[in-house]
């Protein structure tokens, strides 16, 4: 059974050329319940999402909207933040163990990998935002 789509109620901060910046108040949003990774997500209290795809060329500032991730966004997030690091660390630890490297060196290797991997993700965050996009599905009057 597929998981429900995750939607959020947001407010338009600015809008132009079919893109909008919106602000989500996560404290008033119970919409995260349908999300597959809601238990590990640390969405800040007030989050601003930039370049949300808009159905209209310009939406007035302050307008209430409902947004949802584009179909592949949740899977891309899971693959990038959980699956790739898990597979690489397992291969690293098993490989180092197979050639007889001490466990403390394996642990240090895993920590170094995580540090480098998430540092790379940090520097590539603008490029990753293109894959992890949201769009406005409804404008609330």
């Amino acid at each position: 059974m597929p998981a429900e789509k995750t939607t959020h109620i947001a407010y338009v901060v600015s809008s132009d050329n079919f893109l909008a910046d919106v602000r989500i108040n996560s404290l008033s949003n119970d919409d995260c319940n349908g999300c597959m990774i809601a238990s590990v997500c640390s969405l800040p209290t007030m989050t601003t999402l930039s370049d949300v795809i808009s159905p209209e060329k310009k939406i007035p500032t302050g307008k209430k909207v409902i947004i949802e991730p584009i179909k592949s966004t949740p899977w891309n997030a899971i693959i990038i933040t959980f699956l790739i690091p898990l597979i690489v660390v397992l291969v690293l630890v098993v490989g180092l163990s197979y050639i007889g490297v001490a466990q403390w060196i394996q642990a240090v290797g895993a920590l170094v990998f995580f540090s480098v991997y998430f540092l790379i993700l940090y520097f590539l965050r603008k490029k990753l935002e293109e894959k992890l996009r949201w769009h406005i599905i409804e404008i609330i009057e």
Side-chain angles (χ1 to χ4, degrees):
M1 180 168 79
E4 287 182 35
K5 288 195 174 199
T6 300
T7 60
H8 290 288
I9 295 174
Y11 297 90
V12 175
V13 176
S14 65
S15 172
D16 194 27
N17 293 332
F18 297 99
L19 295 174
D21 294 344
V22 299
R23 182 171 291 265
I24 301 170
N25 183 354
S26 62
L27 288 180
S28 67
N29 252 333
D30 293 330
D31 300 324
C32 295
N33 295 335
C35 182
M36 293 179 285
I37 60 170
S39 62
V40 294
C41 183
S42 58
L43 190 67
T45 305
M46 292 293 276
T47 302
T48 301
L49 296 173
S50 298
D51 295 336
V52 175
I53 299 169
S54 170
E56 296 180 11
K57 185 167 180 134
K58 188 161 178 69
I59 300 173
T61 301
K63 200 70 153 167
K64 195 175 189 181
V65 294
I66 298 176
I67 63 170
E68 74 177 3
I70 293 176
K71 187 177 182 180
S72 63
T73 296
W75 289 109
N76 286 341
I78 290 170
I79 289 168
I80 291 168
T81 59
F82 296 118
L83 208 55
I84 291 173
L86 175 67
I87 291 170
V88 172
V89 165
L90 286 176
V91 168
L92 179 73
V93 169
V94 169
L96 291 176
S97 179
Y98 182 74
I99 61 173
V101 175
Q103 287 183 347
W104 72 271
I105 295 175
Q106 294 174 30
V108 169
L111 288 173
V112 167
F113 165 74
F114 278 123
S115 300
V116 171
Y117 182 76
F118 286 106
L119 189 63
I120 290 169
L121 287 182
Y122 176 77
F123 287 120
L124 295 177
R125 68 187 180 274
K126 293 292 182 190
K127 190 170 194 115
L128 290 171
E129 283 178 359
E130 295 170 10
K131 290 186 178 215
L132 307 174
R133 300 291 300 259
W134 293 75
H135 66 105
I136 296 172
I137 58 172
E138 184 180 342
I139 300 170
I140 301 171
E141 295 302 323

